Amino acid sequence: MRAFFLSVTLVFLAVTAQAQDKPAIERQFQSWIQSEIWPRARAKGVSRATFDAAFSGVTLNWDLPDLVPPGTAPETPKRQRQAEFGAPSKYFNRNSIDGATRIGKQMAQRHATALAQTERRTGVPGRIILAIWGRESGYGRVAIPHNVFRVLGTKGFMSTRAEYFSAELIAALQIAEAGHAPESAMKSSWAGALGQPQFMPSSFLNYAADGNGDRKADIWRSEADTIASIGNYLAEHGWVAGRDWGFEVMVPDAVSCTLEGPDQGRPIADWAAMGITRVSGRPFPAHELPGEGYLMMPAGRHGPAFVVTPNFYVLKDYNTSDLYALFVGHVGDRIRFNVGDFRQAWGRVDRLFRSDIAAAQRSLEAMGHDVGGADGLPGYKTRRSIGRWQEARERQATCFPDKGNIAALGG
């Protein structure tokens, strides 16, 4: 008992010390800005005046997720703060779907010329561009609240992906130096994304496009530039003109959910030969049959299933979430083709902590499964690994984490 109280006391003192160290960590942050970031920014052509203006009054933002303060070890958070990696049914809520569709139809008429021009130039359908625009910023109507230099500075100094965010911070300074953004427009999401298409700064530098012919790429105020930039981004990431993003399907029990994933592709004709059919009852388009398709079951056997094309994974280059890419494809179809909800409903799934899923992932890794990393996120590699583990134990494969299999795996 004495040892127990000593342990509790030490933990309390450690937490208290960390809280008291915030001023010291803040000083380290200010020193890091000058000693590490300024030389890199100067090498990219950023002036001292621009640099000083960017960091005037900037302090650490301790409310951001995935922070790793100096002297601490990274750990998997319990809760998932990013909607794209949460419960599927919650992500596809009625308000989000209906709002993005309704306003998207209005925008399709209002910006028909810009959408048509971008589609001709890039091969990316206007409905897909609209759906991304709607998801990212509510078609430019959602307030973007954060100071990009504070966000990227904090995450570059102390996060699980520090080098990535440090590079994005340098890119944001380059944007400021070049005067691309209107005055006081360097506001971002909590991840550092900018403007109506929510481009990370490096994406702006690489993919922002002029859509209205004024020789500027203004993703803050210009709808035409926003449309052109989204289309250019997808085209540069490999969008295949003439192919769809995917199809909702029925997967027979005889077809294992462990066949999911972009590394297990086969001609769509082969999926059809296995008994996979479109929920609409219509055949797969003839021109899609020889093309490669991939089984995608974002909730395992607890929700809709899809055969997707390479374009689905181009959408994932915009945001590395299956649910995000699925939302974009689905809303785009609702805008253009007036389709209804998915035929198969999202089933109820257990509420689990990320830390519990990460523990189960580590157990699967120890058995030789490739789960894509023990990050607490049930991506396709984790889903199918669970399914393979279930099949090896002669259980019905569901390919999704629940309280039962997490407990059995030691999560």
Side-chain angles (χ1 to χ4, degrees):
M1 183 64 72
R2 182 179 178 183
F4 170 79
F5 280 116
L6 177 59
S7 175
V8 170
T9 301
L10 290 173
V11 170
F12 174 78
L13 289 175
V15 172
T16 303
Q18 182 175 329
Q20 291 176 339
D21 278 347
K22 281 188 177 181
I25 294 173
E26 185 70 55
R27 289 192 293 273
Q28 292 179 50
F29 171 60
Q30 298 298 333
S31 176
W32 172 81
I33 289 171
Q34 300 301 325
S35 63
E36 299 292 333
I37 298 303
W38 165 238
R40 292 174 62 178
R42 180 176 55 194
K44 290 291 186 178
V46 177
S47 68
R48 188 73 214 195
T50 296
F51 187 86
D52 289 344
F55 287 106
S56 177
V58 167
T59 58
L60 288 168
N61 184 341
W62 291 88
D63 295 327
L64 297 175
D66 300 326
L67 299 183
V68 186
T72 65
E75 60 181 29
T76 303
K78 277 197 167 187
R79 291 178 174 81
Q80 175 51 252
R81 293 180 58 174
Q82 189 167 349
E84 282 80 7
F85 300 99
S89 59
K90 186 176 180 181
Y91 192 74
F92 286 85
N93 67 79
R94 185 83 274 149
N95 289 340
S96 294
I97 291 286
D98 289 350
T101 301
R102 185 185 69 257
I103 301 173
K105 289 181 177 181
Q106 297 170 8
M107 293 296 183
Q109 294 182 343
R110 187 177 305 171
H111 301 291
T113 300
L115 289 162
Q117 289 175 344
T118 298
E119 185 166 347
R120 283 195 299 271
R121 186 169 58 251
T122 65
V124 179
R127 72 183 196 276
I128 296 296
I129 294 171
L130 286 167
I132 288 178
W133 187 14
R135 185 65 199 179
E136 292 295 341
S137 67
Y139 305 99
R141 301 181 181 193
V142 173
I144 301 172
H146 300 287
N147 179 323
V148 68
F149 301 110
R150 189 182 187 205
V151 167
L152 294 177
T154 298
K155 294 178 81 69
F157 176 66
M158 55 173 193
S159 80
T160 54
R161 301 171 65 197
E163 181 49 42
Y164 167 77
F165 286 108
S166 294
E168 293 296 340
L169 177 58
I170 301 301
L173 289 164
Q174 291 178 264
I175 292 171
E177 177 66 29
H180 291 301
E183 188 176 354
S184 303
M186 293 299 281
K187 299 290 185 181
S188 76
S189 69
W190 62 264
L194 300 167
Q196 296 190 46
Q198 284 291 273
F199 274 1
M200 292 302 290
S202 63
S203 291
F204 174 87
L205 295 177
N206 291 324
Y207 307 113
D210 172 19
N212 59 12
D214 66 357
R215 299 185 180 181
K216 299 178 182 178
D218 186 349
I219 62 171
W220 294 271
R221 297 173 297 188
S222 170
E223 290 86 356
D225 289 1
T226 294
I227 289 167
S229 297
I230 294 171
N232 189 53
Y233 181 100
L234 296 177
E236 290 294 324
H237 281 78
W239 185 273
V240 181
R243 293 206 69 184
D244 210 323
W245 65 268
F247 309 90
E248 187 185 358
V249 297
M250 297 297 296
V251 179
D253 291 341
V255 177
S256 175
C257 54
T258 64
L259 294 176
E260 180 183 11
D263 53 351
Q264 299 190 98
R266 60 187 72 195
I268 289 180
D270 288 2
W271 292 114
M274 295 168 67
I276 292 178
T277 58
R278 294 178 67 184
V279 297
S280 65
R282 297 191 297 272
F284 291 102
H287 73 277
E288 293 281 10
L289 290 173
E292 193 162 60
Y294 317 91
L295 184 62
M296 206 275 293
M297 302 177 73
R301 289 284 183 180
H302 303 301
F306 306 86
V307 168
V308 299
T309 76
N311 285 340
F312 179 86
Y313 293 99
V314 175
L315 295 177
K316 281 193 68 175
D317 284 333
Y318 208 103
N319 182 311
T320 57
S321 159
D322 290 334
L323 297 184
Y324 176 91
L326 186 57
F327 183 98
V328 166
H330 181 57
V331 168
D333 289 351
R334 293 174 77 103
I335 290 171
R336 177 66 178 83
F337 304 120
N338 295 312
V339 301
D341 293 337
F342 295 134
R343 293 291 182 89
Q344 187 170 346
W346 298 104
R348 296 187 64 180
V349 297
D350 293 338
R351 296 182 64 183
L352 299 167
F353 286 137
R354 274 185 65 179
S355 51
D356 292 336
I357 296 175
Q361 288 170 323
R362 287 190 286 271
S363 295
L364 288 165
E365 285 180 327
M367 299 176 198
H369 292 279
D370 176 11
V371 299
D375 56 7
L377 304 174
Y380 75 89
K381 288 186 176 181
T382 294
R383 296 194 295 265
R384 72 187 186 194
S385 293
I386 289 172
R388 290 167 180 169
W389 171 80
Q390 290 171 317
E391 289 179 344
R393 294 166 65 91
E394 298 185 346
R395 297 181 177 183
Q396 181 183 8
T398 62
C399 296
F400 203 76
D402 58 40
K403 289 181 179 178
N405 57 45
I406 292 296
L409 286 164

